[in-house]
Amino acid sequence: MFKRHVRGRGKKFSRARAIAERVQRVVFARDWPARFWDRVPAATRVREVEHTIDVGRSGRSPLRVAFASDLHVGPLTPPRLLDEAFDRLARWRPDVLALGGDYVSLDVTPAMAARLSSLVARVPAAIKVGVLGNHDLWTDHGLIERALADAGVRVLVNESFALPAPHDDVAFVGLDDPWSGEPDPARAFAGVTAPVRLGVVHAPEGQPFATGRGLALLMCGHTHGGQVALPSGPVVVHGPLGRRWPGGLYDVDDLKLYVSRGLGTVDLPLRLYAPAEVALFTIT
């Protein structure tokens, strides 16, 4: 029976997933879909999403947080699309860059890690934080974490990070991936005293771990907005919470939940009615 050894600590890597990735390595050899779509201008466009979140930070200057997720550096994502996305993030000059995981597709290589690091390093944010996604945990996530660290990113695995002045009333909390990791909200929120709390997790399925803990905003990705959708909405989104919240900003219980449609492509070399996007939040 075919079984692929998972190089990372990720769980739920099924036999079907193993076979699918083995097939993709053959079918998408030499990254031909990414190189093809790189020549199609419409396939490299990136939408900018902007929101203001009022949390009552009286007397404080606005905090600008840029967010991107699901880069999927690999055989299906056009390089020009990622260049465009990170150029836009850089032009925003945010105070904080937050990243939502799934940085690669299939197995990460040193070249893919270097590409990831180069992209993230373009953004002149004083603070960069990120979490890991299921695709990251199914490969050598240590290589991915080192690439992110080289670009100045603090990877949060069930931990928090308090911002320095003048935004020392804000803390970021990062949860492990709810699909393939082990989210531990008690550990993640331990010691958090900042009155304004912003959260990052890879998928909407992280919402139950974050509710009731004083978060103003939870940012995630994973859904790709369905990746292939109709004008009326996504065709298929994995996970019950992903289907409930496939993309956009939602009011959920005591927090605002933003689900990014992400940037890259996975499994099928196609995006339809699910535009790649980056987001900027102004926390006032």
Side-chain angles (χ1 to χ4, degrees):
M1 184 175 70
F2 174 78
K3 183 178 180 180
R4 174 182 178 268
H5 175 67
V6 178
R7 297 170 61 189
R9 62 177 174 85
K11 302 176 180 179
K12 298 183 180 179
F13 191 85
S14 65
R15 181 174 183 269
R17 183 71 212 174
I19 293 172
E21 291 202 359
R22 189 178 191 184
V23 170
Q24 288 182 50
R25 287 186 184 84
V26 176
V27 175
F28 302 139
R30 300 181 63 190
D31 297 353
W32 69 262
R35 292 187 289 109
F36 171 79
W37 287 117
D38 219 37
R39 303 184 180 195
V40 181
T44 61
R45 293 174 185 156
V46 179
R47 183 171 66 174
E48 296 180 354
V49 177
E50 297 190 41
H51 294 285
T52 297
I53 309 294
D54 186 356
V55 296
R57 300 181 68 224
S58 179
R60 299 275 187 168
S61 60
L63 174 71
R64 290 161 53 84
V65 179
F67 181 68
S69 188
D70 297 270
L71 281 62
H72 287 292
V73 175
L76 303 184
T77 303
R80 284 178 54 200
L81 182 144
L82 295 179
D83 287 332
E84 175 65 19
F86 278 83
D87 285 346
R88 293 191 181 205
L89 291 166
R91 287 197 292 271
W92 274 333
R93 303 188 69 83
D95 300 299
V96 179
L97 173 65
L99 300 170
D102 271 7
Y103 305 102
V104 302
S105 291
L106 307 180
D107 275 328
V108 64
T109 65
M112 293 163 69
R115 168 72 166 152
L116 169 63
S117 186
S118 175
L119 286 166
V120 176
R122 295 184 188 183
V123 184
I127 297 167
K128 301 176 184 179
V129 297
V131 295
L132 300 176
N134 53 299
H135 285 270
D136 307 317
L137 297 182
W138 287 336
T139 186
D140 183 358
H141 52 84
L143 180 56
I144 295 172
E145 291 177 70
R146 290 191 293 274
L148 292 169
D150 288 344
V153 178
R154 178 166 181 159
V155 178
L156 302 175
V157 182
N158 295 322
E159 58 187 305
S160 64
F161 176 70
L163 300 191
H167 302 295
D168 49 337
D169 61 325
V170 179
F172 275 82
V173 180
L175 287 163
D176 201 14
D177 174 51
W179 282 90
S180 59
E182 296 182 351
D184 186 343
R187 177 183 164 195
F189 285 87
V192 178
T193 59
V196 179
R197 304 173 183 187
L198 308 177
V200 188
V201 69
H202 176 58
E205 277 67 25
Q207 180 271 335
F209 298 98
T211 191
R213 295 182 179 273
L215 282 182
L217 171 67
L218 180 63
M219 295 168 279
C220 64
H222 181 72
T223 67
H224 295 207
Q227 188 168 302
V228 176
L230 300 174
S232 57
V235 176
V236 176
V237 179
H238 297 294
L241 298 188
R243 287 190 287 273
R244 186 185 303 178
W245 307 307
L249 184 64
Y250 305 91
D251 286 304
V252 181
D253 296 333
D254 60 344
L255 57 77
K256 289 188 180 294
L257 174 69
Y258 172 69
V259 184
S260 172
R261 292 174 177 82
L263 292 170
T265 307
V266 68
D267 293 339
L268 296 174
L270 179 66
R271 267 188 180 265
L272 185 65
Y273 291 109
E277 65 185 28
V278 291
L280 179 68
F281 294 91
T282 303
I283 311 299
T284 63

